[in-house]
Amino acid sequence: MNLLIDQWIPVKKDGAPTHISYKELLCTDYFYELSHPRDDMELAALQLLICLTQCIFMPINRNELVSNIKSSMDEDNFENGIKDYVPWFSLDDS
């Protein structure tokens, strides 16, 4: 499993539990709700997603930050952003 490309994020979509990828989370306009049976694990998932996003997609200035907040990410920008980090986040050494 790889945190940057696989569907591991537990969410509710239209009220039903499912898993989505990091790309789907950042590159769509859909408002997802994290959904984990344990509150502490839900918070941990949120913290991990925030840290990944802040480290991999660090804005260069305030204007870029505001732009990133207002709209979903372009898929090409996502792919370019993660390309150097994919091996780092493989949890099964594949």
Side-chain angles (χ1 to χ4, degrees), residues 3 8 11-14 20 26 35 49 53 59 62 68-69 74 76 80 87 91 93-94:
L3 297 178
W8 67 270
V11 297
K12 285 185 182 174
K13 185 173 183 177
D14 300 325
I20 62 168
L26 295 182
S35 178
L49 291 165
T53 305
R62 186 180 193 287
N68 292 348
I69 291 170
D74 178 82
D76 288 337
N80 287 331
L91 301 182
D93 293 327
S94 61

Side-chain angles (χ1 to χ4, degrees), residues 17-82:
T18 189
H19 289 84
I20 62 168
S21 67
Y22 186 48
K23 181 178 183 177
E24 185 174 349
L25 180 68
L26 295 182
C27 296
T28 61
D29 289 330
Y30 190 85
F31 180 77
Y32 291 101
E33 179 182 345
L34 281 175
S35 178
H36 198 282
R38 291 178 39 189
D39 288 344
D40 59 334
M41 295 305 292
E42 195 170 290
L43 179 59
L46 177 61
Q47 290 173 319
L48 176 58
L49 291 165
I50 290 169
C51 290
L52 284 172
T53 305
Q54 287 180 332
C55 291
I56 296 173
F57 300 106
M58 178 67 70
I60 58 172
N61 56 38
R62 186 180 193 287
N63 291 338
E64 185 177 345
L65 173 64
V66 171
S67 175
N68 292 348
I69 291 170
K70 288 184 176 182
S71 63
S72 58
M73 183 179 290
D74 178 82
E75 290 187 18
D76 288 337
N77 288 343
F78 178 84
E79 294 296 336
N80 287 331
I82 69 164

